[in-house]
Amino acid sequence: MFSPASRYGIAGATLALWALTACGSSSGGGDAPTSAPTTTQAVAKDKGPQCVGEAPADGVHVLRGGGFRLPGGGGVQYAAASADGTSRTATLRDGAAYGSGQRQWTVEPGSRVTVSRHAYIVRQVCSYRVVLEPKDAKDKAALAAAPESMESAGGAADNTLCFTTNRAVLAATASSFPAKGRTLSLLANGGVKQLPTGPSLTVSYVDTAAGTAGLGANCAGVPMAIYRDVSVGDTVEFSGVLFKVSGLKEQAVSLTRTSE
């Protein structure tokens, strides 16, 4: 079990990685932009509802705490969440990775944002993801384009594998996980699960006394998800596949697949 000092040391290292991989800022819409905060998740327990809105089949899934590279050289992050028991909002930040001075917007389903002069509509806000729909058909086509190869080459060469709505890529990644109802174990203490299509999954800490853990996913040099302080019963998503946290031990975190 990690001590509090080591736990927050890992969190600090993660934020440092964001700073090193930050993308340039881009224009935005929705609520008035403000400076980016230094934290990405509220300490208080999420009150729900878990999701608000409907996710289109070809929507862009931006995972909690992580970023997504978008057509046109921009990117967007799901920086923070808020729920009061009846409604839910999310804080989106421009750029695929953390950097000081980035713009951010508070959004709900139906909100419109503009990133690098490309317009998106927020279709769904969940505790674990935000789903965006491009307004321009060219952006939809770019996101759904087939990659040159289904095998990871590493770094930015994996953009079309990591940041895509292409169904063949998502299906290939999903097949790397156990089937629905089966359990995936992620090793703690530095263990990494590398998927053939590029994403790598890690456990940043396990605190068995508090019953919480930190999970992350990285791809093409971008933190795609940073789930802080998850506990048994919480939902997380990796590469379009949903899991429930089903067990926390000092050695590993168990995730049970809940989607096809």
Side-chain angles (χ1 to χ4, degrees):
M1 181 176 67
F2 282 82
S3 67
S6 62
R7 166 180 163 183
Y8 292 110
I10 292 170
T14 300
L15 290 176
L17 173 63
W18 281 9
L20 288 171
T21 58
C23 292
S25 63
S26 47
S27 60
D31 289 359
T34 60
S35 297
T38 57
T39 59
T40 60
Q41 180 174 346
V43 175
K45 184 68 176 177
D46 194 302
K47 297 179 181 179
Q50 186 175 65
C51 291
V52 177
E54 297 295 327
D58 57 352
V60 174
H61 291 206
V62 186
L63 304 183
R64 181 73 172 269
F68 194 104
R69 283 181 175 150
L70 295 168
V76 64
Q77 303 160 62
Y78 182 0
S82 177
D84 60 11
T86 58
S87 63
R88 175 172 287 282
T89 62
T91 300
L92 299 183
R93 184 188 295 131
D94 75 345
Y98 179 80
S100 61
Q102 290 171 310
R103 294 179 175 182
Q104 65 181 38
W105 311 272
T106 299
V107 300
E108 60 187 11
S111 295
R112 297 169 184 256
V113 295
T114 302
V115 182
S116 294
R117 298 183 296 280
H118 294 249
Y120 299 85
I121 301 173
V122 179
R123 291 303 187 191
Q124 186 184 56
V125 178
C126 298
S127 61
Y128 54 89
R129 74 181 182 202
V130 170
V131 181
L132 306 178
E133 183 177 26
K135 289 191 65 179
D136 193 299
K138 291 182 180 179
D139 289 337
K140 287 186 178 182
L143 285 161
E148 293 184 4
S149 172
M150 295 291 279
E151 294 195 12
S152 171
D158 285 346
N159 280 345
T160 54
L161 290 173
C162 302
F163 311 108
T164 182
T165 61
N166 182 273
R167 295 189 180 185
V169 173
L170 295 177
T173 306
S175 68
S176 302
F177 294 121
K180 183 178 180 180
R182 304 297 293 271
T183 297
L184 168 69
S185 291
L186 297 179
L187 297 180
N189 299 319
V192 176
K193 178 173 179 58
Q194 184 73 49
L195 304 181
T197 51
S200 59
L201 313 183
T202 59
V203 177
S204 60
Y205 82 91
V206 179
D207 187 337
T208 54
T212 60
L215 308 177
N218 288 268
C219 201
V222 171
M224 296 181 68
I226 300 177
Y227 294 112
R228 303 171 187 266
D229 298 329
V230 296
S231 56
V232 171
D234 286 347
T235 296
V236 296
E237 177 178 334
F238 296 115
S239 299
V241 179
L242 299 181
F243 299 87
K244 275 198 180 297
V245 180
S246 52
L248 300 175
K249 296 181 179 180
E250 292 185 7
Q251 298 80 13
V253 175
S254 298
L255 305 175
T256 300
R257 182 170 174 170
T258 58
S259 66
E260 297 295 341

